[in-house]
Amino acid sequence: NAGVTQTPKFQVLKTGQSMTLQCAQDMNHNSMYWYRQDPGMGLRLIYYSASEGTTDKGEVPNGYNVSRLNKREFSLRLESAAPSQTSVYFCASLSLSLMNTEAFFGQGTRLTVV
Amino acid sequence: GNSVTQMEGPVTLSEEAFLTINCTYTATGYPSLFWYVQYPGEGLQLLLKATKADDKGSNKGFEATYRKETTSFHLEKGSVQVSDSAVYFCALSDPLNAGGTSYGKLTFGQGTILTVHP
C-alpha cells in the first residue's frame, strides 16, 4: 500500500517552461487536492477534486491547471512557470464519510523557477 | 467560506513541559477536524482527527477535543519531547452532505512551529 505518490520530488525550471506534477493514490479516496506551501504562509489550496470527473478552484489557482484523470490520479500543470511559483507542492487525498475519515499527503515536490 | 485560525508561533518549550496549540475554526454545519504534523524535510502526517462534536482525537500522547460551542480544536500534550519538534497544522474538511460523504474541500491553518529544547 503506497498511499499517495508524487513525482518528481525535485524540479528546477526556467521562467516560461511548462511541467506537470503527477499524483496518484491507491486508497480509493474520492477527494484529492493540490496545495502549495510557502514560508510563513502555511498551506494554500490551489485546486481540488471532490470526485472523479470534477475539479474546483481553491485559494490560489492562477497559473495552474489540473486534470482528474481517473479516481487514482490528479495532476497539476504549470503552463508557463514564473519565479512566484517557486514553492513546495503537496498532493493529498481524503476519504470522508460517516464510517471512515482518512486523509493522507504525498512527500512533496520542491519546485524552483529561475 | 471555511477558515482555520491557529495561535501565532513559534512556540519554544523545554522537554517535559505542557503544550497547548490553539485552533479555532469558522464553518457551516459540522466539519471534520484534523491535526497534522510536518517534521523537517518531510510531508504532512495525520496526527489525530475528530468527526463530530465532543469527539476526542488522540495519538502519540497528543489530544484534541472537538468543541462545537467554542468552535475550537486545541492540541494538547502533557509532556513534550525533543522529538516533537515540528510544524503543526490544524485543518477542517467540508461538512458531510446529505449522502454522508464530503463535498471535499480541506482547509488548513497557517501552521505553528514547535521547538522543544532538552
Side-chain angles (χ1 to χ4, degrees):
Chain A
N1 188 344
V4 179
T5 304
Q6 273 183 252
T7 55
K9 287 188 170 57
F10 301 94
Q11 183 72 49
V12 178
L13 291 178
K14 294 181 179 178
T15 298
Q17 286 185 315
S18 62
M19 77 162 295
T20 299
L21 282 66
Q22 306 287 352
C23 177
Q25 52 94 5
D26 60 3
M27 295 170 285
N28 202 37
H29 290 170
N30 292 316
S31 300
M32 297 185 73
Y33 310 82
W34 277 105
Y35 291 89
R36 59 178 290 173
Q37 184 179 27
D38 302 293
M41 304 287 286
L43 281 122
R44 293 184 291 171
L45 182 64
I46 304 171
Y47 272 92
Y48 69 105
S49 170
S51 62
E52 183 180 354
T54 68
T55 60
D56 288 283
K57 294 179 180 179
E59 184 183 352
V60 288
N62 291 344
Y64 305 95
N65 285 302
V66 291
S67 295
R68 183 73 183 267
L69 303 170
N70 47 55
K71 194 169 187 179
R72 290 186 65 250
E73 298 172 288
F74 188 41
S75 62
L76 177 72
R77 183 160 178 84
L78 287 70
E79 291 290 351
S80 179
S84 61
Q85 294 178 304
T86 294
S87 186
V88 181
Y89 292 85
F90 288 100
C91 176
S93 71
L94 171 71
S95 176
L96 179 60
S97 68
L98 290 172
M99 297 304 293
N100 185 33
T101 300
E102 297 285 350
F104 296 92
F105 280 74
Q107 288 299 302
T109 297
R110 188 172 295 275
L111 175 67
T112 303
V113 183
V114 297
Chain B
N2 297 342
S3 67
V4 176
T5 302
Q6 288 181 234
M7 65 183 291
E8 294 289 329
V11 175
T12 303
L13 296 173
S14 297
E15 204 164 27
E16 299 184 2
F18 185 84
L19 168 70
T20 299
I21 300 178
N22 290 338
C23 171
T24 57
Y25 68 89
T26 302
T28 55
Y30 293 87
S32 289
L33 301 174
F34 307 86
W35 276 101
Y36 284 86
V37 58
Q38 183 181 33
Y39 299 104
E42 298 185 11
L44 279 77
Q45 303 174 27
L46 180 65
L47 181 60
L48 53 84
K49 63 190 181 189
T51 57
K52 61 183 187 296
D54 299 325
D55 267 2
K56 177 184 283 189
S58 61
N59 186 26
K60 300 181 181 179
F62 291 89
E63 292 183 341
T65 301
Y66 189 142
R67 301 287 188 200
K68 179 70 175 173
E69 64 276 13
T70 54
T71 62
S72 64
F73 192 55
H74 304 322
L75 182 68
E76 297 182 337
K77 187 174 185 181
S79 176
V80 294
Q81 305 299 312
V82 172
S83 57
D84 293 327
S85 298
V87 183
Y88 291 82
F89 292 93
C90 185
L92 66 81
S93 66
D94 277 347
L96 297 178
N97 60 26
T101 57
S102 171
Y103 293 113
K105 195 171 177 183
L106 191 61
T107 303
F108 282 82
Q110 68 271 36
T112 301
I113 300 172
L114 170 66
T115 304
V116 181
H117 293 297

